[in-house]
Amino acid sequence: MNPNQVPDAESRYLIPTYRRPPVVFTRGEGAYLYDSNGKRYLDFAAGIAVNALGHSDPAWVEAVADQASRLTHVSNLFHTSPHIDLAKRLVENSFADRVFFANSGSEANEAALKFARKWARTKHGEGKIDVLAFEGGFHGRTMGALSLTHKHRYREPFEPLVPGVTFVPFNDLEAAKQGITDRTCAVFVEPVQGEGGVRVADALFLQGLREICDEHGALLVCDEIQCGLGRTGRLWAHEAYEITPDIMTLAKPLAGGLPIGVTLVTEEVSRAIEVGDHGSTFGAGLIPCRAAQTVFDHINQPDLLEGVARNGEALMKGLRALLLNKFIEVRGVGLIIGVEFDVSVQPLIEQSLEQGLIVISAGENVLRLCPPLIITIDQINIALEILANGIRALDWKV
Ligand code: PLP
């Protein structure tokens, strides 16, 4: 199809779940995307924190092409090896003892919810089915994951959802203490809330959640789908808190743009799960798992992780230096950064796109910056300049 016809064709043929700007991307390389007119854009969205290695990373391309030429799918009824080579890496580099492979973040959280319920039933008997989750938290759009997602607008049209979920304010340990009971089987938390406006968990909050989970015999589930795998400058976001969860979920960046979701658990949780308890036709796909090995090996390097931390600090410093009258706060860690304004950020997103910079929002008033982890300091400076120009054009500067 002629790229110029795409926007109209989308509005004709697709169920309208997304609003998109009138640009059609046709190619990507490193931290850059190119549209159908050949215009180049610096990509500070990375497919919503997915393209950690940027676009068309040569080792990733080679792994995908090689696996596609060998074998793509046989189902989970038979043995293959790429998912095992990936599982081994994940287990050997985390608290987890075992993993389950799915195809998205929502599915990884669905599995976590099911595993927590089954673990609680096996260990404690009937009735321990409740979940504690947090205001601003986002865990996905499928019915189970949506039940753990706080935003009223996403939930309300589809109710009733899974019962037994209580929401309390994020970073409020006292509220969490009030909200948890002996019927709670799991506490789901993002160490850095992404969709909820880039909010970083306080150390005492996350450490306190670990304690109250232990007191009430509940599992601590860290959803690191957006903030995990190097984005905070550490391999896992929870490492900064010196705690270990019982379950961690991963997805977005792991396969470098191919669909994958992983639920990582301790041996104790795994012991409650039997053959037939859960499954997925496409889970543990050979191409995503092969691609993910490349992504994992690239990210799990001290140099890369140090670069993320260093460049993230430079980006935050640069943003704070813009000194805006409409700024409320710049927050984040590593390369997941939110800039809260007292107005909608949509005009700035449009201005930036016009100037060749892709940025997204996290809620109405928060600009979200989550570039590929391979971003360079020069590219960060270019992005800061484009943002400064956009802000000036909008007359937002003091
Ligand atoms: N959990 C978190 C923290 C997320 O940011 C997302 C997606 O944005 C999800 C879960 C859902 O992942 P998916 O869209 O792959 O189902």
Side-chain angles (χ1 to χ4, degrees), residues 238-285:
H238 68 259
E239 278 174 40
Y241 300 85
E242 295 177 351
I243 55 137
T244 50
D246 303 290
I247 299 181
M248 173 168 71
T249 51
L250 299 177
K252 284 178 177 292
L254 183 56
L258 293 174
I260 197 166
V262 196
T263 310
L264 298 90
V265 307
T266 58
E267 188 65 38
E268 161 156 343
V269 174
S270 175
R271 267 199 295 271
I273 310 302
E274 297 165 281
V275 171
D277 274 347
H278 198 46
S280 162
T281 297
F282 286 118

Side-chain angles (χ1 to χ4, degrees), residues 185-309:
C185 68
V187 175
F188 275 73
V189 64
E190 295 161 82
V192 182
Q193 286 190 339
E195 302 304 306
V198 188
R199 294 179 192 280
V200 183
D202 296 336
L204 292 179
F205 174 65
L206 218 51
Q207 287 159 359
L209 290 186
R210 178 67 274 176
E211 277 169 29
I212 61 173
C213 281
D214 292 341
E215 281 162 27
H216 291 271
L219 300 176
L220 181 63
V221 183
C222 282
D223 178 338
E224 297 216 7
I225 286 162
Q226 184 155 167
C227 63
L229 201 65
R231 187 146 291 278
T232 62
R234 297 177 191 259
L235 188 59
W236 312 123
H238 68 259
E239 278 174 40
Y241 300 85
E242 295 177 351
I243 55 137
T244 50
D246 303 290
I247 299 181
M248 173 168 71
T249 51
L250 299 177
K252 284 178 177 292
L254 183 56
L258 293 174
I260 197 166
V262 196
T263 310
L264 298 90
V265 307
T266 58
E267 188 65 38
E268 161 156 343
V269 174
S270 175
R271 267 199 295 271
I273 310 302
E274 297 165 281
V275 171
D277 274 347
H278 198 46
S280 162
T281 297
F282 286 118
L286 282 80
I287 298 176
C289 287
R290 186 70 195 284
Q293 291 170 32
T294 313
V295 175
F296 185 87
D297 290 346
H298 196 134
I299 292 177
N300 189 29
Q301 299 284 344
D303 281 2
L304 183 126
L305 295 171
E306 282 162 22
V308 171

Side-chain angles (χ1 to χ4, degrees), residues 335-351:
L335 288 170
I336 177 164
I337 297 173
V339 187
E340 184 167 354
F341 291 79
D342 66 1
V343 287
S344 165
V345 293
Q346 192 53 35
L348 183 55
I349 290 175
E350 287 166 18
Q351 272 283 341

